Amino acid sequence: KRTDCLCFFVNGKKVVEEHVDPETMLVSFLREKLRLTGTKSSCGGGGCGACTVMVSRCNPASQTITHFSANACLLPVCQLAGAAITTVEGIGSSKTRLHPVQERLAKAHGSQCGFCSPGMVMSMYTLLRNHPQPSMEEIREALGGNLCRCTGYRPIIDSCRTFSQESKCCQGNRGVGCCLNEEESTEPEPSAPQLFNKEDFLPLDPTQELIFPPELMRM
Ligand code: FES
Ligand code: FES
């Protein structure tokens, strides 16, 4: 094992760098060096979530793997030794097969100009890696750092809710009584117009996700 270079993985492929500029942030490394331009660069200051990626690390003592979302514009590449990075290219594409998160965001009309979509997808994807059936609270928290300049938040959240087991939400149609307004309601769900048919969706199959690189578990 070499200790004089930086080693981490991106979408299952090993990256070894010998002379990394300590000021290089992951977003520019991905886009300029690896030509992975799905991760967007926007505010550059951690404020918009367009650059969101998933970072996975193995705890060497317990051999447990943790996944968390991170703003690549704030992540120096030098901090990534031993980490596995997953970008939007790593989970699926229209050329191969869309990941259910990507497919549902598109089918629920959650992508307008699309600039925020990769970041939204990666925040949702990381949430589902940790909670395959998230609660509304977990969804809200996971997407709290992602801004959509087209302001299409409702269909974005709708697409993520399709993974949730909670089904009582009226999507704000009841105003103050809606869980989106953080108040309890016991009223039955009214019939709201649906923009998509859940039957059309690909199922989420956690066994099909990229595995954590075994090599990193031995580091
Ligand atoms: Fe806005 Fe990274 S580019 S949070
Ligand atoms: Fe345009 Fe979100 S779809 S910024």
Side-chain angles (χ1 to χ4, degrees):
K1 161 173 125 181
R2 290 181 62 182
T3 53
D4 58 346
C5 58
L6 176 69
C7 171
F8 60 102
F9 278 66
V10 175
N11 299 336
K13 291 198 185 116
K14 190 173 178 179
V15 175
V16 179
E17 286 291 315
E18 295 201 4
H19 304 289
V20 186
D21 177 348
E23 292 189 359
T24 302
M25 295 294 161
L26 179 61
V27 69
S28 47
F29 187 84
L30 291 171
R31 293 179 57 83
E32 289 154 31
K33 180 94 195 246
L34 303 184
R35 308 302 296 165
L36 294 172
T37 53
T39 303
K40 301 301 175 214
S41 179
S42 183
C43 70
C48 73
C51 63
T52 304
V53 297
M54 184 175 84
V55 181
S56 306
R57 284 192 176 276
C58 178
N59 179 323
S62 61
Q63 289 287 289
T64 49
I65 294 158
T66 50
H67 307 290
F68 53 94
S69 58
N71 290 326
C73 68
L74 294 181
L75 210 51
V77 174
C78 290
Q79 275 187 4
L80 296 177
I85 307 300
T86 306
T87 71
V88 71
E89 290 93 343
I91 67 168
S93 85
S94 53
K95 289 196 189 123
T96 54
R97 180 177 181 270
L98 289 178
H99 187 276
V101 172
Q102 296 167 313
E103 190 225 14
R104 295 189 195 192
L105 187 69
K107 286 190 175 162
H109 306 277
S111 191
Q112 296 179 70
C113 79
F115 197 80
C116 70
S117 304
M120 293 286 181
V121 163
M122 291 316 296
S123 288
M124 289 186 206
Y125 177 79
T126 309
L127 169 67
L128 296 175
R129 289 297 296 259
N130 292 321
H131 305 284
Q133 294 182 341
S135 65
M136 270 310 292
E137 190 52 43
E138 288 163 340
I139 291 172
R140 268 197 294 261
E141 186 154 328
L143 295 178
N146 291 84
L147 300 184
C148 173
R149 65 187 178 180
C150 300
T151 69
Y153 292 105
R154 180 51 50 86
I156 292 169
I157 291 174
D158 280 353
S159 72
C160 198
R161 276 186 66 236
T162 63
F163 294 102
S164 173
Q165 286 301 293
E166 295 177 11
S167 60
K168 291 214 177 113
C169 180
C170 66
Q171 293 301 287
N173 290 337
R174 279 198 305 272
V176 292
C178 176
C179 64
L180 291 174
N181 296 323
E182 305 196 342
E183 286 185 26
E184 295 269 327
S185 172
T186 53
E187 288 179 34
E189 185 176 3
S191 53
Q194 279 290 340
L195 295 177
F196 51 83
N197 184 359
K198 281 189 181 184
E199 310 298 310
D200 294 342
F201 293 155
L202 295 170
L204 180 70
D205 181 357
T207 66
Q208 297 302 303
E209 306 298 358
L210 272 182
I211 61 162
F212 190 79
E215 183 178 340
L216 291 182
M217 299 187 75
R218 298 190 291 270
M219 283 177 78

